[in-house]
Amino acid sequence: MTSARGYAFDNSSAQAPDHHTALAELLDPATRQRISELVPLPGRRCLEVAAGGGSVAVWLAAQASAVVATDLKPQHIPRHPRLTVKEHDITSGTPLGRFDLVHARLLLNHLPERDLAVRHMVDALSPGGVLLTEDFLPPAGAEVVAHAPDPQTAALLARFQTLHTSALAGHGNDRSWSRRAHSAFYAAGLTDVRVYAYGTEWRGGGPGCRLLRAGIGQLRDDYLSLGITGAELAEIAGALMNPDVALNGYLTIQTSGVYGRDQGITSRSTATRP
C-alpha cells in the first residue's frame, strides 16, 4: 500500500499488536457472520488481502480447504496447516490464483489506488466467487462524542476526531470511500452487489477506543504537526480508557459482489439482519 506519506498503521510499529487485537475484538464477530451468510466455506479456496494480525485468515483456514493471506508486512499472521502466508501488494497485479472468496477489511479506505485494487481482487475470483470488503465510515468531529464526564473532555475528543481524520487523509485515506464501493463493484463487473452497515458505541477501555489509542502512537508526529500538544495527546489517551466515555463508534460498511454470473456460490444470498 502506498500513498504520499505511506500507510498510516505500520505493522512494524510497537503499537501494531494492540492495534490488531483491538480490531479483532471489535470487528471479527460481524466479519465472520457476513462471510458465513455469503459463502459455505467447507471445500472453498479463500484469499485474505491485507490480513494484518491474521485473525480472519486463521478462522477461514479452520473451515475452508485452503487460504492464502497476504500483507505488505505479514509477520503478525499466525501459521496454520491450511494457510499460506505471502508478502504481497494487491496493487501490483501479481497473480495469486483463483478463489471462491476474496476478503479485505479496512484496506480500501486507506489505499489511494483503491479502484485498481478492486479490479485485481476481482481478477482473483473464480466464476461465481464472492468479493467482500469492509471499510469504516467515521463520524465528523463533534458527532463522535456520545458521552463524556465533562465538557472539556468532550471538546478534546471531538477535536481529536477531526485531527485523526486529517492525519489519515495525509496518508491517502478517503473516509467517504465506503459510500462509493457499491458503484465501484458494479464498474468492476460484479453482480448481486449488497451493502450492509453496522456499528456500536465505543466505550472507554473497549476495543474501539483501544484502537484509537493505539493510533496515537502510530500517528503521533502527524497529530503534533496539526497543532495538538503532547500533553493533550496524553489526556486523550487517558480519556479513551475512561469507562465514563462513550463514542459513537465508526460504522463499518460491508460491500459484497459476485463474479461471473447473477448468483454465485452464496448459501444465503438473501439473508438480512434483524
Side-chain angles (χ1 to χ4, degrees), residues 4-76:
R5 285 189 276 162
Y7 178 52
F9 302 117
D10 192 330
N11 277 354
S12 298
S13 72
Q15 297 82 16
D18 291 339
H19 182 99
H20 294 317
T21 298
L23 272 179
E25 186 178 339
L26 181 68
L27 300 182
D28 277 9
T31 295
R32 294 175 180 181
Q33 178 181 341
R34 189 64 186 133
I35 289 174
S36 298
E37 291 168 352
L38 287 167
V39 179
L41 289 173
R44 306 298 180 182
R45 285 177 46 81
C46 304
L47 171 63
E48 179 73 7
V49 181
S55 61
V56 175
V58 171
W59 175 77
L60 289 170
Q63 301 176 76
S65 63
V67 177
V68 174
T70 72
D71 205 289
L72 287 181
K73 297 181 178 181
Q75 65 266 32
H76 295 289

Side-chain angles (χ1 to χ4, degrees), residues 139-145 154 157-162 165 175:
E143 297 171 353
V144 77
V145 181
L157 289 169
R159 182 183 174 209
F160 172 70
Q161 173 62 17
T162 299
T165 301
R175 67 185 294 271

Side-chain angles (χ1 to χ4, degrees), residues 8 15 56 68 99 124 167 185 211 232 250 256 274:
Q15 297 82 16
V56 175
V68 174
F99 301 90
F185 275 36
L211 178 66
E232 287 172 321
Y250 297 3
S256 64

Side-chain angles (χ1 to χ4, degrees), residues 8 12 24 50 80 89 144 154 174 197-198 201 236 259 274:
S12 298
H80 187 281
D89 182 348
V144 77
D174 182 353
Y198 71 92
E201 73 165 9
I236 291 164
Y259 173 71

